Amino acid sequence: AQSVTQLGSHVSVSEGALVLLRCNYSSSVPPYLFWYVQYPNQGLQLLLKYTSAATLVKGINGFEAEFKKSETSFHLTKPSAHMSDAAEYFCAVSEGSGGGADGLTFGKGTHLIIQP
Amino acid sequence: KAGVTQTPRYLIKTRGQQVTLSCSPISGHRSVSWYQQTPGQGLQFLFEYFSETQRNKGNFPGRFSGRQFSNSRSEMNVSTLELGDSALYLCASSLEGRGRFSTEAFFGQGTRLTVV
């Protein structure tokens, strides 16, 4: 069975500082991993996805994530936070899909707060 | 290109009633998945439809059901509503939903269901 753990339900950083959102996964097969962002009263938007092509994945809005099999991690980073990055971020894993939404298992989410 | 459209956006129902939510996927997308989002349980997979067939199902009681029409539009139904069914219900569509090279899942804005 697959599972996702996001460390920290809330993360606060200053504008311009490094953003680091942590995600650890558990999967019985090589996983597909995703990061989604959700703004208030909105659906989910895909930031980036790992499908075993490259361990360092670049996404939209300056975000990137590195797949580390030995640590079963897929942490999300952004070098310099912007006020518009304030949102809820979800890490997700799928064992049966390369990108579609069937059977995604999500983490509990991390609320990113940007301090001016 | 229109995105995933969910209707209605907000809904208030009474315990014991039933409700039907609608999802229109992006044109050309054949896979539609449904998720329930609550503060306590987070995002949980309900089911996925592909070409009018339920292809995958999450761990929800039989009160939750769905269907997909020939034009890929999908509906989900919840019967005998309980207070705990209050949630944001998200629909996602993708071209195929399966396989290594399957495409990104696009989420709708959701339907906020409140059961009183």
Side-chain angles (χ1 to χ4, degrees), chain B residues 30-71:
Chain B
R30 297 165 64 192
S31 170
V32 174
S33 296
W34 289 89
Y35 287 80
Q36 181 195 65
Q37 185 177 23
T38 60
Q41 298 299 316
L43 280 153
Q44 293 184 286
F45 173 69
L46 280 156
F47 29 64
E48 186 238 356
Y49 286 87
F50 182 81
S51 293
E52 302 180 64
T53 301
Q54 187 180 90
R55 194 164 62 172
N56 200 358
K57 189 177 189 303
N59 189 26
F60 276 81
R63 299 186 298 106
F64 292 82
S65 63
R67 59 177 175 170
Q68 186 179 34
F69 302 95
S70 58
N71 62 358

Side-chain angles (χ1 to χ4, degrees), chain A residues 32 36 38 41-46 49 51-53 88 90 96-108, chain B residues 9-10 33 35 37 40-43 45 48 56 88 90 92 94 97-100 102-105 107-109 112:
Chain A
Y32 297 110
Y36 284 88
Q38 185 178 35
N41 297 314
Q42 298 294 317
L44 302 176
Q45 181 183 11
L46 182 66
K49 64 181 179 183
T51 56
S52 77
E88 192 83 15
F90 293 93
S97 163
D102 66 303
L104 284 169
T105 298
F106 286 89
K108 293 290 188 184
Chain B
R9 287 292 310 278
Y10 301 92
S33 296
Y35 287 80
Q37 185 177 23
Q41 298 299 316
L43 280 153
F45 173 69
E48 186 238 356
N56 200 358
L88 179 67
L90 292 166
S94 62
R98 285 284 178 89
R100 180 185 180 87
S102 63
T103 57
E104 175 183 344
F107 281 80
Q109 292 185 298
R112 173 76 63 185

Side-chain angles (χ1 to χ4, degrees), chain A residues 48-59:
Chain A
L48 48 83
K49 64 181 179 183
Y50 166 76
T51 56
S52 77
T55 57
L56 183 63
V57 182
K58 293 188 183 298

Side-chain angles (χ1 to χ4, degrees), chain A residues 7-84:
Chain A
L7 297 176
S9 58
H10 291 78
V11 169
S12 180
V13 302
S14 299
E15 190 175 17
L18 171 72
V19 175
L20 171 60
L21 303 183
R22 300 177 187 274
C23 171
N24 289 88
Y25 69 91
S26 171
S27 175
S28 58
V29 300
Y32 297 110
L33 295 160
F34 312 84
W35 275 100
Y36 284 88
V37 61
Q38 185 178 35
Y39 298 99
N41 297 314
Q42 298 294 317
L44 302 176
Q45 181 183 11
L46 182 66
L47 280 175
L48 48 83
K49 64 181 179 183
Y50 166 76
T51 56
S52 77
T55 57
L56 183 63
V57 182
K58 293 188 183 298
I60 62 172
N61 301 339
F63 284 95
E64 63 181 37
E66 186 173 8
F67 172 70
K68 291 187 177 181
K69 184 179 179 180
S70 61
E71 299 177 8
T72 60
S73 69
F74 191 57
H75 302 331
L76 182 71
T77 60
K78 182 174 180 177
S80 177
H82 191 272
M83 295 299 290
S84 61

Side-chain angles (χ1 to χ4, degrees), chain A residues 90-101:
Chain A
F90 293 93
C91 181
V93 63
S94 174
E95 294 178 345
S97 163

